[in-house]
Amino acid sequence: MFEKKGKIISKSNEYNDNKKRTRKLNIRLNPLDYGKGPDSQLNHSEKFKVECFLPVIDQMSSAISQRLKAYEVICDRFGFFGQLNNLSNEELQEAAKKLVAVYDDDLHELLFVEIIHFSEFIKLYSKPTEMSNEHFMYKTLIEKDVISAFPNVEIALRMYLVIMVTNCSSERTFSRLKIIKNRLRTTMNEDRLNFLSVMSIESDVLDNLSFDDIIDDFAEKKSRKVCNL
């Protein structure tokens, strides 16, 4: 399928290698190869499939599997928020204990008790169809000003909602770092590298900033009083 589309886009049915002449081994220059059978020759379509198409598919399959495993971990930890009405108290308790065990520095053991009360509280409000369950729960906590009653639930929902949907931003960060810290900048310290990285990654925000106030503040701090002689 991809080969057919490639031929349509390139408007050619031939590979570049078709125009090259196949080299034959010279037995006089390589006497040890005398009697050796010819190497297997792949046609150009099979060569493209073996050397290009299949490696790309393998790499893509491996990357997708790695990402799916990460998503499964997140779903296993926070998935119970989307099923509060369908899970029993025992299942909610088990899920809450598992989440607290992972984030023991941020969550308290009382998360299970809060979730039981929160599941009854959230039933009083109807969720918009275009909004996810977790987003609706967190928005309800903010609008109804009940964060003090469910502090651990608020922390858990906030942790889930701020998780990056994709890892494209992190991959883009590493690609930017390769550009910023090249062989001519090997002595750059960590603080300067972090500042330049943020400026490069968030360039769209940086372009909309006004530097007049920053320049004035810098000039005021660095200005020296000159005595009039």
Side-chain angles (χ1 to χ4, degrees):
M1 180 179 66
F2 296 102
E3 185 180 8
K4 293 180 180 179
K5 290 184 178 180
K7 290 180 179 180
I8 294 174
I9 295 174
S10 63
K11 298 180 181 180
S12 175
N13 293 327
E14 295 183 356
Y15 291 86
N16 290 332
D17 290 343
N18 285 342
K19 303 177 183 179
K20 295 182 180 180
R21 186 177 60 180
T22 304
R23 297 182 59 183
K24 296 182 179 180
L25 295 177
N26 192 330
I27 299 177
R28 291 178 297 177
L29 298 178
N30 300 282
L32 296 179
D33 292 338
Y34 180 75
K36 181 180 178 181
D39 296 334
S40 59
Q41 297 292 333
L42 299 176
N43 59 40
H44 304 291
S45 177
E46 293 176 347
K47 185 177 180 181
F48 172 79
K49 181 179 179 180
V50 172
E51 296 182 358
C52 183
F53 181 74
L54 292 181
V56 170
I57 294 299
D58 290 340
Q59 185 176 2
M60 183 175 65
S61 177
S62 176
I64 292 176
S65 299
Q66 184 178 1
R67 285 162 173 76
L68 286 177
K69 290 180 180 178
Y71 298 150
E72 289 175 357
V73 171
I74 298 299
C75 183
D76 182 61
R77 294 176 181 176
F78 297 93
F80 66 93
F81 277 110
Q83 303 177 3
L84 291 181
N85 298 330
N86 301 327
L87 298 178
S88 62
N89 291 345
E90 291 76 11
E91 292 173 334
L92 289 176
Q93 182 178 8
E94 187 66 24
K97 287 183 178 180
K98 185 185 299 184
L99 187 61
V100 172
V102 177
Y103 303 103
D104 54 346
D105 293 335
D106 303 302
L107 299 174
H108 194 268
E109 296 178 355
L110 294 177
L111 175 63
F112 162 66
V113 179
E114 293 182 13
I115 287 178
I116 297 299
H117 293 285
F118 181 74
S119 62
E120 298 298 329
F121 167 78
I122 203 66
K123 292 179 182 178
L124 301 176
Y125 307 95
S126 58
K127 180 183 74 68
T129 56
E130 68 278 1
M131 188 179 297
S132 64
N133 291 331
E134 294 79 8
H135 188 191
F136 169 70
M137 293 176 185
Y138 191 79
K139 186 177 181 180
T140 305
L141 284 174
I142 301 298
E143 292 180 349
K144 303 304 178 181
D145 195 17
V146 291
I147 296 179
S148 58
F150 308 103
N152 290 284
V153 174
E154 188 272 336
I155 294 174
L157 286 173
R158 177 153 45 92
M159 292 169 61
Y160 174 75
L161 292 175
V162 299
I163 294 176
M164 293 186 296
V165 179
T166 65
N167 60 348
C168 295
S169 57
S170 59
E171 293 177 356
R172 186 163 56 248
T173 301
F174 284 109
S175 63
R176 291 294 180 90
L177 286 176
K178 292 180 181 179
I179 298 174
I180 296 173
K181 191 170 184 179
N182 51 31
R183 61 184 182 85
L184 301 177
R185 295 175 175 173
T186 55
T187 59
M188 184 186 305
N189 58 30
E190 184 177 357
D191 292 337
R192 180 179 175 84
L193 177 62
N194 292 336
F195 295 149
L196 292 177
S197 300
V198 173
M199 293 172 63
S200 178
I201 295 169
E202 305 296 342
S203 59
D204 53 341
V205 179
L206 190 64
D207 293 338
N208 297 326
L209 293 179
S210 176
F211 296 98
D212 295 337
D213 296 336
I214 299 176
I215 294 174
D216 294 339
D217 293 340
F218 179 81
E220 183 179 353
K221 292 180 180 179
K222 297 297 181 179
S223 61
R224 297 181 180 179
K225 295 181 179 180
V226 180
C227 297
N228 295 325
L229 299 177

